[in-house]
Amino acid sequence: MGILKIIVTIIAIVVMGSIIMIFIKKLRKIGLMILGSLIIIFAVIWLLFFRPKQYKKTYLKDASEWKNLNIRQYADSIGFYIGAIPGGTEISDPLFCNNFNSLTPESALKMGPLFMNGSIGEYDFTHADELVDQALAKNLRVRGHTLVWGKQSDMFKNPDLRKWLETFPKEERTRQLKELTDKHIVTVLNHFRGRIKTWDCVNEPTSLYKTGEIENNVYTEYLGKDYIADALKLAHSVDSSLKLFLNEQIFDYNNKQADCFTELVRNLKKNDVPVSGIGIQSHILTKTDTAIIDLQNYIKIFTDMGLEVEITELDIRLRIFDAAKDPYDAQGRYYARLIKAAMANPMCKGVTFWGFCDDKCWIDNYPFPKPNEPYFFDSEMKPKPAFYEVYKTLKYSFESRTRK
Ligand code: GLA
């Protein structure tokens, strides 16, 4: 049981207990006191930390001018990938394809969405093909995301592999999952052969919650921890020219999870497992996540092993900058610093944003105090300082390289 579930359970028990006490004459006063205190504590916490806020949008005065800028020209010129998921925007929209030269099709290439009406092992590539072909038509590189991801089954149940496995006798389950996983890797890679050359072969192999351990998921349970190496080897055998990435979310580059991930990669390299790159997701959700210097050092660990690195799912919540005079400006500057730090390492080949317009933001589905507003464009499609700062960073990088 996760820590959040334990806390919620304890609170629910206390609330239920105090309500029951209210109905017992002798205990009524105590029940009322407990319930009253809880209500006051929650109200204070909500007011202090969770109440949605709004910040002044001083950037609007510059927005119409920024809208005509073009990040992509600089990214193309210096050979750096600046990408995004479409997040509800048409790829052919000039705001999208003039600013990005790489696309990650969000969920369209994940296991469940590729299955035909949810039928496990039967494929319908229509939607994925549409996105991939639109991106290629606009000359965008496509990042394949992702072939094997435990949470896709355990958390998102799309597909629910455990439930599916239960339809087989116990002794057959390992073989069934192995066959399905292998078939999936081979089918998908063959389908996109020549169109997608970079894949997040395995997503989130280490545990966020039991830091220091490989994530315990449906794959480790039935196939063992070698599922990671096996997926990479099989993918490589299908097409040895592919760039195969391990993609991971890490909130603190000095913690046990970060070490566990490094150790995993070191062992794969030691055993000649064909891993070519590391994706560092970089969802920055709270103030305490990540220090840029730590990120830079962490990237270097992998590039020193001869691996490429990409920042694959960057988003930085606006609310983190609550204390700043202008949170939108502060957010923009933070984006610029982070990207500058990533680009300082020549083996760091790209940055992808996990969204485009604040209107459609995955973080809004989670109980973070708003505003999240992590992207380049606000919900009215007006460019924010984040956009302008990234533009300036790429432009500066281009100009300083051409000056040399
Ligand atoms: C993870 C996954 C992504 C996406 C985000 C949240 O980082 O790798 O595919 O699901 O979570 O939207």
Side-chain angles (χ1 to χ4, degrees):
M1 202 193 263
I3 184 81
L4 201 70
K5 269 194 189 158
I6 297 177
I7 295 173
V8 172
T9 313
I10 294 174
I11 294 173
I13 293 171
V14 175
V15 170
M16 293 290 282
S18 53
I19 292 175
I20 293 170
M21 284 160 102
I22 292 172
F23 289 101
I24 302 170
K25 214 174 169 191
K26 266 195 198 162
L27 300 175
R28 181 168 298 155
K29 260 193 187 160
I30 303 176
L32 281 170
M33 267 166 57
I34 297 176
L35 203 60
S37 317
L38 275 179
I39 291 172
I40 291 169
I41 291 171
F42 280 126
V44 171
I45 292 179
W46 189 81
L47 274 175
L48 286 180
F49 303 109
F50 291 99
R51 182 171 50 100
K53 291 189 180 179
Q54 277 190 342
Y55 308 121
K56 207 163 164 210
K57 300 186 172 182
T58 52
Y59 61 84
L60 287 178
K61 62 181 187 324
D62 300 308
S64 55
E65 195 182 313
W66 293 347
K67 211 159 187 166
N68 302 319
L69 300 178
N70 172 329
I71 296 181
R72 179 181 180 158
Q73 57 179 324
Y74 298 118
D76 283 343
S77 312
I78 59 176
F80 191 76
Y81 290 118
I82 283 282
I85 59 169
T89 305
E90 290 294 321
I91 294 166
S92 55
D93 184 330
L95 277 188
F96 195 90
C97 59
N98 284 349
N99 286 309
F100 301 114
N101 58 8
S102 174
L103 172 103
T104 303
E106 193 164 6
S107 296
L109 301 179
K110 292 175 184 168
M111 189 184 245
L114 284 181
F115 285 160
M116 188 186 297
N117 304 321
S119 296
I120 289 183
E122 287 171 42
Y123 291 83
D124 176 358
F125 288 103
T126 318
H127 176 57
D129 278 340
E130 226 170 79
L131 276 178
V132 170
D133 291 340
Q134 276 173 21
L136 295 177
K138 288 287 170 193
N139 214 8
L140 273 79
R141 184 268 312 243
V142 179
R143 284 198 96 253
H145 174 80
T146 170
L147 293 170
V148 183
W149 183 25
K151 286 196 191 75
Q152 182 67 19
S153 165
D154 290 354
M155 189 169 163
F156 296 103
K157 315 267 183 225
N158 189 12
D160 188 341
L161 293 175
R162 286 177 194 276
K163 204 165 151 201
W164 173 73
L165 286 169
E166 276 163 22
T167 63
F168 299 101
K170 260 194 184 140
E171 62 282 5
E172 271 185 37
R173 292 178 191 166
T174 293
R175 185 175 57 82
Q176 289 291 345
L177 184 60
K178 178 77 182 133
E179 279 177 12
L180 179 77
T181 311
D182 288 359
K183 176 183 169 189
H184 183 71
I185 293 172
V186 173
T187 309
V188 175
L189 292 185
N190 275 330
H191 184 84
F192 292 104
R193 187 184 288 272
R195 289 187 289 165
I196 305 184
K197 296 172 183 154
T198 301
W199 278 93
D200 289 332
C201 186
V202 179
N203 197 27
E204 300 183 334
T206 63
S207 175
L208 261 183
Y209 308 105
K210 286 192 183 161
T211 54
E213 293 179 24
I214 296 295
E215 185 175 68
N216 194 3
N217 61 29
V218 64
Y219 296 105
T220 47
E221 192 176 320
Y222 288 96
L223 310 179
K225 292 177 187 167
D226 278 347
Y227 86 92
I228 302 162
D230 290 347
L232 287 159
K233 285 182 201 161
L234 180 62
H236 182 74
S237 75
V238 175
D239 182 348
S240 61
S241 72
L242 292 176
K243 288 193 177 171
L244 300 173
F245 276 61
L246 289 185
N247 193 45
E248 188 55 275
Q249 169 64 24
I250 289 168
F251 288 109
D252 173 356
Y253 298 107
N254 296 310
N255 77 2
K256 284 190 191 157
Q257 186 211 359
D259 291 346
C260 172
F261 187 62
T262 320
E263 215 30 54
L264 167 69
V265 178
R266 226 185 276 287
N267 278 329
L268 293 171
K269 287 288 291 175
K270 201 171 79 196
N271 293 310
D272 288 327
V273 176
V275 53
S276 14
I278 298 302
I280 302 183
Q281 293 186 4
S282 312
H283 297 290
I284 300 182
L285 304 177
T286 75
K287 225 182 258 175
T288 51
D289 295 348
T290 198
I292 287 178
I293 180 73
D294 293 338
L295 169 67
Q296 211 165 15
N297 293 335
Y298 200 64
I299 292 176
K300 190 167 179 300
I301 295 177
F302 300 109
T303 58
D304 283 351
M305 292 184 207
L307 295 165
E308 286 188 7
V309 169
E310 290 192 37
I311 305 291
T312 49
E313 302 188 17
L314 181 61
D315 41 31
I316 309 176
R317 285 179 58 238
L318 181 65
R319 183 68 178 255
I320 298 175
F321 307 96
D322 187 49
K325 201 168 147 223
D326 186 330
Y328 288 102
D329 274 348
Q331 182 191 41
R333 283 196 302 273
Y334 198 84
Y335 264 112
R337 278 182 52 215
L338 195 148
I339 289 167
K340 227 177 270 168
M343 290 176 81
N345 186 324
M347 288 290 279
C348 179
K349 301 291 185 188
V351 174
T352 294
F353 303 92
W354 205 253
F356 178 67
C357 164
D358 287 335
D359 205 22
K360 193 165 176 285
C361 168
W362 69 276
I363 312 169
D364 288 346
N365 302 326
Y366 293 82
F368 288 101
K370 293 190 170 67
N372 292 315
E373 298 181 22
Y375 304 129
F376 275 9
F377 289 84
D378 69 15
S379 46
E380 254 117 61
M381 266 309 197
K382 300 272 195 288
K384 293 157 59 187
F387 170 80
Y388 185 56
E389 289 291 337
V390 174
Y391 167 81
K392 276 199 307 191
T393 307
L394 268 288
K395 182 170 185 276
Y396 177 80
S397 171
F398 165 74
E399 286 169 355
S400 51
R401 284 182 206 200
T402 43
R403 234 179 279 131
K404 276 179 197 163

